[in-house]
Amino acid sequence: NQAKVLRARSLRWRHVPEAQSQRNIMFFSADHEDGGGSNPFQHLEKSSVLQEARVFNETPINPRKCVHILTKILYLINQGEHLGSIEATEAFFAMTKLFQSNDPTLRRMCYLTIKEMATVAEDVIIVTSSLTKDMTGKEDNYRGPAVRALCKITDSTMLQAIERYMKQAIVDKVPSVSSSALLSSLHLLKTGFDVVKRWVNEAQEAASSDNIMVQYHALGLLYHIRKNDRLAVNKMVTKFSRQGLKSPFAYCMMIRVASKLLEEDANSRDNPLFDFIENCMRNKHEMVVYEAASAIVNLPNCTAKELAPAVSVLQLFCSSPKAALRYAAVRTLNKVAMKHPSAVTACNLDLENLVTDSNRSIATLAITTLLKTGSESSIDRLMKQISSFMSEISDEFKVVVVQAISALCQKYPRKHSVMMNFLFTMLREEGGFEYKRAIVDCIICIIEDNPESKDTGLAHLCEFIEDCEFTVLATRILHLLGREGARTPNPSKYIRFIYNRVILENEEVRAAAVSALAKFGAQNEEIYPSVSILLKRCMMDDDNEVRDRATFYQSVLEQKQKALNSAYILNGLQVSIPGLERALHHYTLEPTEKPFDLKSVPLSMAPISEQKPEMSPAVALKMPEKVASSRQEIFQEQLAAIPELKELGPLFKSSPNPVPLTESETEYYIRCTKHTFAGHIVFQFDCTNTLNDQILENVTVQMEPTEVYEVVCCIPAASLSYNQPGICYTLVALPEEDPTAVSCTFSCTLKFTVKDCDPNTGEADEEGYEDEYVLEDVEVTVADHIQKVLKPNFSAAWEEVGSDFEKEETFALSSMKTLDEAVNNIVNFLGMQPCERSDKVPENKNSHTLYLAGVFRGGHDLLVRARLALMDGVTMQVTARSKNEVPVDVVMASVG
């Protein structure tokens, strides 16, 4: 019989008319090309849909048609279409008549529409009786959705009216009803906490349910009711960890709650909660085991011993047949390897097996983890393994690999040649901007950390810019060549690559190439004649910027003065560009015969060229069109707006981080920021009142100096309400008769008028009383008078400043045991910028020279050269230079 049926079907198919068959094929092709059919709601109009909603008033009700119209309304709302209050209310009231129909699909659509329109339509509580009827009815399919819809339209005033129904629903035997009631209660906590917290007994009964989702939702509600009571949460976790849970989801939530409590506890490892998390790693559910291992890994200050069981579990997951488990395990191990690479070493064999995993995300994470944990001898083998699949993974994962290689370079500097060759191979392959930028950043890091790799790295980068499509990378490499290439043993070999950019590239790259050529000419007298010829050719360029740079640099180089070369070519301006623009604009607005003073411009806060680039994952970031104001410029504008402070002149420096003068848990939380001007220091006190039954008025900080500093005035904060920050200032004049007295300690007292107030209404008493609060002392050090500036070429800057005001002294740093410790202490004490990477002490060296640059208050350049020798302690010979005597005396007096 089956054979006959099949034969008949085949005969029928053969006799289909050809034209009809063709039409079917054309229809299929058109449908297929459109991507499987178009969206039927794509061109909906709100007015026509609301017009269609009048069908709801017809009798008898047509369920299929009404469901279709409700779907259109929900689609419009979810697409962001705004429904006016009147039209939404009309549609809502019409929809309520659909409760007369018993069609299950239509009823579910009504529930969805009620929830979506609850916040738009008015008088939605009209459906309360219908929903309550469904909620307590016999149709289980209606009861859960009815509970959720009812809670959506219920506000805090109506909550007590449905409390009885909600309690019954929470302990209902039908899991879907119980879960709906528990989740709705969780949402109602935001508006009716006091009512919902009375449902704790019912929630605890639900937490004993055999259904895994009901138990999970019940625990969630219990936690959110008690989360502000640490002791209650602790008891809850302890109780359920002892009696056990049936839901793996509930276990995962308990693990997260327990780990949060452990993070807040200093002695977390002796806590029974830690034992609970460890025991969860022996659970029969894989998700619970992973959650427990992940929680232990993410605990702060976790030791290798505590990590061991978690790492063992993750190691087992590495060989799981499930790709999700393998991915989770290797991703977590990758995170562990960042802080505890030795703890992951035991997993290296399993990770090496994952390198060939068919899932490329897993393979990439495995190889980057191995790069963090592998030994020096395994690097060559790992590089070969990476090469085999680099072309198959996305740029985002390639960036992750490059980041791992960069970390490995810092760990094993002797292997830089292997990694440099690998990076250069990657650089020649196809790839996007973020990927290429990550590689260039990594090569530059290797060059800076390993001086012996400079020639190889620069050669690779020179070849890359011969065919570089990214302007940003080309200009960055040219800047690097100008800074580093000119100081190599054979600088002339880079000239050809730089001048090729002048001939072949766009105007931005050509301008960068001209600047690089000028730096070669400024540092090498032998190749100056060749550079001069090339710069003269650049004067004929089509672009104004290129011509102007070439003309300017040529005229400076022709003077053959090292000071000019240093000031205008090698080291350049150390000012903030947005600040310079504002200062020049302000200068042009006010006619004056005085020349523009560059010292009035704020200094550049972040020495960009010296900072290590942070290699971020490949995310397309758009650069802002306008440079944002720096932190110091924002302070400058704020202080200039205060009448007592506007005559102080330009702000010289603001302390980088506010210093707390009280503990954050005390009644008043005070932090101090120091703002240094040419002749004054302004102390800014950020104050927060943490008492809700007090309002503070006329708040000031009285300061008593130990040295010859003079307190000029205090600018009070008018009022400090509960948890509302306020700012007061104290102005201090610097001593004119003794300019070397830069260090001072101030004792501080917070003085204010207290007015008691009602914590609920915030209404304060009319009468107040004077009070005060002793704060921690504030110290002013030499670092507050010196601003960091970067001198890319320290030797040129040293010659530029000259030896007119130079002093040299030798000091014994007996408390210092290593050169690294001495270097870090000197840099932090003086607050100056290390130059030419001299803050890094080479390994196995007994002597080192530290170069520091800065600008002293008043705009005076200050350079310090510290020669360090390690014997029994550290001996330091300090040489300081400036164009003014005071900064040199200050440094010598402070160090002494």
Side-chain angles (χ1 to χ4, degrees):
N1 289 337
Q2 286 181 346
K4 287 179 182 178
V5 171
L6 289 171
R7 195 160 51 248
R9 284 181 180 172
S10 65
L11 287 169
R12 279 205 306 275
W13 171 250
R14 286 177 193 169
H15 288 89
V16 171
E18 188 178 343
Q20 185 181 342
S21 176
Q22 189 67 27
R23 278 200 305 275
N24 290 342
I25 292 169
M26 287 175 66
F27 178 80
F28 172 78
S29 301
D31 193 39
H32 185 70
E33 286 172 6
D34 288 345
S38 58
N39 181 357
F41 303 126
Q42 194 167 6
H43 303 293
L44 283 181
E45 289 186 5
K46 180 178 73 172
S47 56
S48 62
V49 173
L50 294 175
Q51 191 77 15
E52 288 178 40
R54 294 182 178 181
V55 173
F56 300 160
N57 296 315
E58 294 178 0
T59 50
I61 293 169
N62 184 338
R64 187 173 179 182
K65 195 172 184 180
C66 292
V67 165
H68 191 61
I69 295 167
L70 286 174
T71 306
K72 289 180 180 179
I73 293 173
L74 290 173
Y75 178 82
L76 287 173
I77 292 172
N78 281 284
Q79 288 298 308
E81 187 74 49
H82 174 69
L83 293 181
S85 178
I86 296 173
E87 55 193 10
T89 305
E90 288 178 358
F92 185 86
F93 272 76
M95 182 268 300
T96 58
K97 295 175 183 175
L98 301 180
F99 274 91
Q100 296 170 15
S101 171
N102 290 322
D103 184 83
T105 308
L106 181 59
R107 185 65 58 88
R108 296 293 292 271
M109 288 300 294
C110 287
Y111 296 142
L112 286 173
T113 310
I114 289 170
K115 287 184 351 186
E116 291 294 335
M117 299 182 75
T119 55
V120 186
E122 295 177 356
D123 299 326
V124 290
I125 57 173
I126 197 169
V127 292
T128 302
S129 58
S130 299
L131 291 173
T132 307
K133 182 181 176 183
D134 284 354
M135 178 179 167
T136 55
K138 296 179 181 179
E139 186 63 54
D140 290 341
N141 288 336
Y142 292 169
R143 293 171 64 204
V147 170
R148 292 199 295 271
L150 182 62
C151 291
K152 187 73 175 177
I153 65 170
T154 302
D155 57 19
S156 55
T157 57
M158 291 174 53
L159 195 53
Q160 290 183 348
I162 64 165
E163 185 175 6
R164 179 167 58 91
Y165 301 116
M166 288 299 295
K167 284 184 175 183
Q168 290 172 355
I170 288 172
V171 294
D172 200 280
K173 292 180 181 179
V174 180
S176 61
V177 177
S178 183
S179 274
S180 296
L182 288 164
L183 284 172
S184 300
S185 304
L186 197 58
H187 291 298
L188 290 170
L189 274 176
K190 299 170 188 173
T191 54
F193 182 84
D194 292 333
V195 177
V196 176
K197 74 178 181 181
R198 298 201 293 258
W199 307 346
V200 168
N201 292 335
E202 286 74 17
Q204 283 181 330
E205 186 179 336
S208 305
S209 170
D210 292 336
N211 184 276
I212 60 173
M213 294 310 293
V214 172
Q215 190 176 58
Y216 170 53
H217 293 145
L219 279 175
L221 178 61
L222 286 171
Y223 169 68
H224 281 280
I225 289 173
R226 298 168 173 173
K227 68 180 181 182
N228 294 324
D229 184 349
R230 181 183 168 82
L231 185 61
V233 173
N234 223 321
K235 285 181 179 177
M236 183 185 81
V237 177
T238 306
K239 173 189 170 184
F240 285 109
S241 62
R242 283 177 183 166
Q243 71 182 37
L245 298 162
K246 293 179 182 177
S247 168
F249 303 107
Y251 263 118
C252 289
M253 201 190 97
M254 285 295 100
I255 290 168
R256 292 187 182 187
V257 173
S259 63
K260 188 177 179 184
L261 291 171
L262 287 174
E263 284 176 16
E264 297 167 1
D265 186 6
N267 304 315
S268 58
R269 309 310 178 258
D270 302 327
N271 198 310
L273 295 177
F274 187 79
D275 298 332
F276 162 67
I277 296 176
E278 272 197 323
N279 290 333
C280 286
M281 287 195 289
R282 293 183 281 279
N283 196 283
K284 62 181 179 181
H285 297 284
E286 289 167 337
M287 72 162 78
V288 178
V289 175
Y290 173 72
E291 189 68 41
S294 179
I296 289 176
V297 163
N298 289 306
L299 281 176
N301 306 318
C302 204
T303 63
K305 183 181 177 183
E306 291 157 352
L307 280 173
V311 172
S312 300
V313 165
L314 295 170
Q315 186 177 2
L316 289 173
F317 283 171
C318 285
S319 53
S320 169
K322 298 177 183 177
L325 272 181
R326 296 200 305 275
Y327 178 78
V330 73
R331 184 166 173 260
T332 311
L333 287 172
N334 189 283
K335 192 183 290 185
V336 178
M338 292 178 185
K339 291 183 179 177
H340 304 278
S342 57
V344 187
T345 309
C347 307
N348 280 4
L349 189 60
D350 300 89
L351 291 169
E352 286 188 22
N353 292 332
L354 291 177
V355 170
T356 54
D357 197 283
S358 57
N359 186 312
R360 283 300 167 212
S361 301
I362 295 173
T364 307
L365 284 167
I367 202 76
T368 51
T369 309
L370 282 169
L371 287 171
K372 291 169 187 170
T373 61
S375 61
E376 192 167 359
S377 59
S378 66
I379 289 175
D380 295 314
R381 178 168 47 81
L382 288 172
M383 290 298 172
K384 286 179 183 176
Q385 287 177 314
I386 296 172
S387 304
S388 64
F389 69 84
M390 279 300 288
S391 58
E392 300 174 32
I393 61 175
S394 66
D395 278 8
E396 187 173 356
F397 281 115
K398 286 178 181 176
V399 170
V400 175
V401 173
V402 173
Q403 289 175 338
I405 292 171
S406 179
L408 202 64
C409 288
Q410 295 175 0
K411 191 176 178 183
Y412 303 116
R414 285 182 294 184
K415 283 288 183 181
H416 65 80
S417 58
V418 177
M419 288 176 275
M420 188 80 86
N421 290 330
F422 175 76
L423 289 167
F424 182 55
T425 304
M426 293 166 69
L427 199 56
R428 283 185 294 189
E429 295 171 356
E430 292 295 320
F433 169 69
E434 294 293 338
Y435 170 48
K436 292 296 178 76
R437 184 176 72 172
I439 298 171
V440 170
D441 288 344
C442 187
I443 291 174
I444 291 173
C445 285
I446 295 173
I447 292 171
E448 291 180 347
D449 292 337
N450 305 279
E452 63 271 20
S453 68
K454 185 186 289 185
D455 281 344
T456 312
L458 292 179
H460 287 332
L461 292 175
C462 282
E463 287 187 40
F464 172 61
I465 60 173
E466 285 291 302
D467 187 27
C468 176
E469 58 184 307
F470 304 111
T471 299
V472 173
L473 297 183
T475 52
R476 180 152 185 224
I477 291 168
L478 286 167
H479 174 72
L480 178 75
L481 283 171
R483 197 179 76 216
E484 302 290 347
R487 288 187 274 184
T488 57
N490 186 14
S492 57
K493 67 181 180 182
Y494 301 111
I495 298 292
R496 172 173 63 87
F497 295 101
I498 296 173
Y499 190 65
N500 281 351
R501 309 281 63 75
V502 176
I503 301 169
L504 302 170
E505 296 287 354
N506 61 43
E507 58 273 11
E508 290 180 40
V509 179
R510 295 203 304 273
V514 168
S515 298
L517 284 173
K519 289 178 181 176
F520 275 78
Q523 294 184 76
N524 303 87
E525 293 181 4
E526 301 81 20
I527 60 174
Y528 163 68
S530 303
V531 170
S532 179
I533 293 168
L534 297 177
L535 286 175
K536 286 175 182 175
R537 289 181 187 174
C538 295
M539 291 181 193
M540 311 300 292
D541 196 274
D542 295 336
D543 185 70
N544 290 341
E545 174 73 16
V546 178
R547 287 200 307 273
D548 289 350
R549 286 196 189 194
T551 306
F552 172 72
Y553 290 137
Q554 177 63 19
S555 61
V556 172
L557 290 171
E558 283 175 351
Q559 306 300 316
K560 295 186 178 180
Q561 294 182 23
K562 289 184 178 180
L564 288 179
N565 289 349
S566 173
Y568 296 110
I569 298 177
L570 299 176
N571 290 314
L573 292 175
Q574 308 292 337
V575 296
S576 161
I577 300 301
L580 177 62
E581 184 184 358
R582 289 193 199 93
L584 287 169
H585 178 65
H586 185 70
Y587 180 76
T588 56
L589 293 177
E590 297 180 2
T592 177
E593 295 182 1
K594 290 173 62 179
F596 180 75
D597 184 9
L598 204 58
K599 291 181 180 179
S600 66
V601 181
L603 295 169
S604 177
M605 294 296 293
I608 296 163
S609 57
E610 191 75 355
Q611 287 181 337
K612 284 283 168 62
E614 290 184 12
M615 292 187 293
S616 56
V619 178
L621 296 174
K622 289 188 176 179
M623 296 298 290
E625 292 181 4
K626 191 173 181 181
V627 179
S629 297
S630 69
R631 177 173 174 269
Q632 183 169 328
E633 286 158 1
I634 294 168
F635 280 137
Q636 171 81 64
E637 292 177 8
Q638 290 174 350
L639 296 172
I642 300 169
E644 294 91 336
L645 307 178
K646 67 179 182 181
E647 301 298 332
L648 298 179
L651 175 61
F652 174 71
K653 180 181 181 178
S654 295
S655 54
N657 298 308
V659 178
L661 303 184
T662 61
E663 298 292 332
S664 57
E665 299 82 14
T666 54
E667 302 98 307
Y668 315 113
Y669 182 47
I670 314 295
R671 299 187 306 163
C672 177
T673 303
K674 294 169 276 188
H675 304 292
T676 308
F677 291 82
H680 298 80
I681 295 182
V682 174
F683 296 88
Q684 173 182 321
F685 299 96
D686 298 300
C687 311
T688 305
N689 171 23
T690 62
L691 298 176
N692 61 358
D693 58 351
Q694 287 185 357
I695 290 179
L696 311 185
E697 292 184 353
N698 196 30
V699 182
T700 59
V701 175
Q702 302 292 328
M703 304 181 72
E704 295 291 335
T706 56
E707 301 293 332
V708 288
Y709 283 60
E710 179 190 351
V711 177
V712 178
C713 67
C714 296
I715 301 161
S719 177
L720 281 183
S721 302
Y722 169 62
N723 258 358
Q724 295 297 317
I727 301 175
C728 61
Y729 301 92
T730 301
L731 177 61
V732 174
L734 297 171
E736 293 181 5
E737 62 277 6
D738 185 8
T740 59
V742 293
S743 299
C744 182
T745 301
F746 292 84
S747 56
C748 303
T749 306
L750 185 72
K751 296 195 173 183
F752 46 86
T753 302
V754 181
K755 288 188 177 180
D756 295 327
C757 71
D758 187 330
N760 297 318
T761 62
E763 292 183 11
D765 296 344
E766 291 185 7
E767 296 295 324
Y769 57 90
E770 301 295 322
D771 201 355
E772 60 182 46
Y773 189 88
V774 178
L775 307 175
E776 296 286 334
D777 292 350
V778 174
E779 289 190 355
V780 176
T781 65
V782 63
D784 293 313
H785 302 265
I786 300 174
Q787 178 71 281
K788 292 181 179 182
V789 294
L790 176 67
K791 299 290 184 183
N793 192 309
F794 186 84
S795 59
W798 187 261
E799 295 298 326
E800 178 194 348
V801 171
S803 57
D804 292 346
F805 298 101
E806 177 183 293
K807 287 191 178 180
E808 185 174 283
E809 287 187 35
T810 303
F811 303 93
L813 308 177
S814 54
S815 61
M816 309 289 176
K817 302 302 179 187
T818 63
L819 291 178
D820 278 314
E821 184 186 0
V823 166
N824 290 333
N825 279 306
I826 295 163
V827 171
N828 293 332
F829 176 73
L830 292 177
M832 299 175 73
Q833 178 66 39
C835 298
E836 300 187 8
R837 298 181 289 281
S838 60
D839 55 327
K840 294 183 178 176
V841 181
E843 291 182 4
N844 303 320
K845 292 283 185 180
N846 292 327
S847 61
H848 181 67
T849 303
L850 174 65
Y851 302 116
L852 298 172
V855 172
F856 187 75
R857 171 174 47 80
H860 307 294
D861 275 348
L862 175 62
L863 302 177
V864 171
R865 183 183 65 203
R867 289 178 172 148
L868 307 167
L870 182 63
M871 289 177 284
D872 296 335
V874 176
T875 304
M876 176 176 69
Q877 184 190 62
V878 176
T879 309
R881 280 189 178 187
S882 178
K883 292 184 178 179
N884 186 286
E885 190 174 7
V886 172
V888 176
D889 291 340
V890 165
V891 168
M892 291 304 175
S894 301
V895 175

